[in-house]
Amino acid sequence: MTRQGRMGRVDLVGGGPGPVDLMTVRAWRLLAEADVVVMDRLGPTDIRSHLAPDVEIIDVGKLPGHHPVPQHEINAILVDRARSGKRVVRLKGGDPFVFGRGGEEVAACVAAGVPVDVVPGVTSAVAVPEAAGIPVTHRGIASAVHIVNGQSEVTPATLAALGDAAVTTVILMGVGALPRLVADALRAGVPGSRPVAIVERGHHADQRTTRTTLGAVVLEAGRIGVRNPAVVVVGDVARAGLLIPDLLPEHALAGDTSL
Ligand code: SAH
């Protein structure tokens, strides 16, 4: 509380996969009203140039394997700023509740009695494959989607999804863990012929799509030097030429000739 007794608030805002025009209108409104913006490494980082000069920008961006600002400190920043009467936007890449630790931030605000709301964002789990012309579901080809954090242990549910021809598996944070994940899948009997697409830097000008198979993906990823951020799609929807390229918006094809 300030001396005037004004309590601030926190809005967890999904910023989408990168381009600022993939943010929602509500995200733009809240950013325009914000006193403080707490930003990540991924998501709409270009937003800085659209913010008023007196907005406090706090960058808590994480590199894979590095956590410059631990989660409990991020939670504390949100709570402290809101308690001092500020309107805080916690801008997150993609959607706040898809591997974004958004749930923990909401819980921290609720526990501290800070008003908090969540604004959905365009998740990379769907939008990054989409940018490469890959529909995560497709009538007659894939009727379910399994979204998994590649850094987690490979569970029986993930092995079942990888082995089910009617399921698309979407792997986030999967670049480093790919060899282990693929080895586990092949050992569990998933066919090496399963189509795989790796989409790096989806919705950016230097987006790159690599089409391969489960049996070949590790060698191929190493050969071309696949890097984060990337989304890995396993399933029949990932095979080249599934959709007619000219049905896609032109910008989705920028730098991507693999359709
Ligand atoms: N909450 C986010 C995901 C956070 S986990 C969301 O809903 O999109 C971070 C992972 O998202 C990255 O490791 C990568 O797998 C994926 N990712 C996010 N933005 C991406 C982009 N523009 N291109 C490719 N992958 C991206």
Side-chain angles (χ1 to χ4, degrees):
M1 295 276 182
T2 57
R3 255 177 300 171
Q4 297 81 29
R6 184 172 87 113
M7 172 61 104
R9 56 173 294 109
V10 173
D11 287 286
L12 265 67
V13 173
V20 292
D21 60 353
L22 284 178
M23 292 196 306
T24 63
V25 174
R26 192 179 301 177
W28 277 103
R29 179 175 60 75
L30 289 166
L31 283 163
E33 294 169 357
D35 302 305
V36 181
V37 177
V38 182
M39 304 214 0
D40 272 334
R41 187 180 54 90
L42 293 176
T45 46
D46 288 350
I47 196 65
R48 289 164 185 274
S49 57
H50 297 267
L51 298 173
D54 59 341
V55 173
E56 184 189 8
I57 300 174
I58 305 173
D59 193 342
V60 294
K62 298 169 184 144
L63 287 170
H66 300 81
H67 293 263
V69 183
Q71 188 63 47
H72 66 88
E73 269 178 46
I74 298 176
N75 298 351
I77 290 170
L78 301 178
V79 166
D80 291 349
R81 294 297 194 284
R83 278 188 171 152
S84 65
K86 307 279 193 208
R87 300 195 59 148
V88 183
V89 166
R90 170 67 173 116
L91 186 61
K92 304 182 78 77
D95 184 274
F97 280 2
V98 179
F99 302 131
R101 303 193 71 171
E104 291 161 67
E105 293 173 3
V106 169
C109 291
V110 170
V114 167
V116 59
D117 211 345
V118 182
V119 178
V122 171
T123 180
S124 64
V126 176
V128 168
E130 197 161 54
I134 300 170
V136 292
T137 70
H138 193 61
R139 196 173 168 80
I141 293 192
S143 58
V145 188
H146 182 79
I147 302 173
V148 63
N149 173 356
Q151 292 174 335
S152 307
E153 194 194 331
V154 186
T155 63
T158 294
L159 292 175
L162 288 166
D164 187 334
V167 176
T168 302
T169 303
V170 177
I171 305 160
L172 269 56
M173 296 175 275
V175 172
L178 205 55
R180 177 177 51 88
L181 198 134
V182 169
D184 285 0
L186 295 175
R187 203 176 309 117
V190 178
S193 58
R194 289 279 273 155
V196 176
I198 306 175
V199 187
E200 297 168 79
R201 295 190 50 76
H203 287 286
H204 291 81
D206 55 351
Q207 174 180 317
R208 173 168 73 167
T209 306
T210 306
R211 313 264 182 175
T212 179
T213 60
L214 196 66
V217 65
V218 173
L219 262 180
E220 187 60 11
R223 191 181 67 78
I224 64 166
V226 165
R227 292 176 50 199
N228 281 305
V231 171
V232 181
V233 185
V234 183
D236 284 343
V237 293
R239 67 168 198 260
L242 178 74
L243 297 183
I244 302 163
D246 61 10
L247 285 181
L248 294 168
E250 220 169 53
H251 69 264
L253 299 173
D256 185 348
T257 53
S258 61
L259 288 158

